[in-house]
Amino acid sequence: MIVAVGLDIVELARIKKIWQRYPKRFLSRHFTLEEISSCCEKADPLPSIAARFAAKEAFQKCWPEPHGWQDVWVVRKGTKPKLAFTETIQRALDQRGLAVHVSLTHSRNHAAAVVILEETQGG
């Protein structure tokens, strides 16, 4: 059963402006080293950076407690993105019997993410 849905959309121009103004600070504050490395391998890292930013925002919209930017991050499992969490958040998810699903997308001007919290059979 779906427990919560979070959606976030960001303008690429807004993320680019912040990133250009504070390049190291923006990346190190909002993303893990793994995320930075993965995104910066691409010819144009901006859409990937923006989609990850949106994923973190989307998760916060459906998670009941506040968390830091690096407490949630996007990893790739094959071709699909997946959210990973600090031990504290992962433990809370497990205790509540929740699975997390994420979908990322981007266009020429925007990036977006949807996060779904689903109650598993054990929860």
Side-chain angles (χ1 to χ4, degrees), residues 89-118:
I89 294 175
Q90 187 61 59
R91 189 177 323 115
L93 287 164
D94 294 343
Q95 288 172 348
R96 296 171 189 178
L98 297 174
V100 180
H101 307 279
V102 65
S103 181
L104 309 175
T105 191
H106 64 84
S107 67
R108 187 174 307 171
N109 299 314
H110 296 89
V114 174
V115 172
I116 297 172
L117 296 185
E118 177 187 25

Side-chain angles (χ1 to χ4, degrees), residues 12-27 31 36 39-40 44-47 49-50:
L12 294 182
R14 177 177 160 252
I15 297 297
K16 183 177 182 177
K17 184 177 180 180
I18 296 167
W19 187 11
Q20 287 177 333
R21 188 167 183 187
Y22 308 103
K24 289 181 183 178
R25 186 171 131 198
F26 172 71
L27 291 179
F31 304 98
I36 295 167
C39 293
C40 288
D44 181 6
L46 179 62
I49 291 286

Side-chain angles (χ1 to χ4, degrees), residues 80-91:
K80 295 185 178 193
K82 181 177 173 24
L83 289 181
F85 306 95
T86 59
E87 189 176 315
T88 303
I89 294 175
Q90 187 61 59
R91 189 177 323 115

Side-chain angles (χ1 to χ4, degrees), residues 19 34 42-43 84 92:
W19 187 11
E34 181 183 358
K42 300 182 182 310

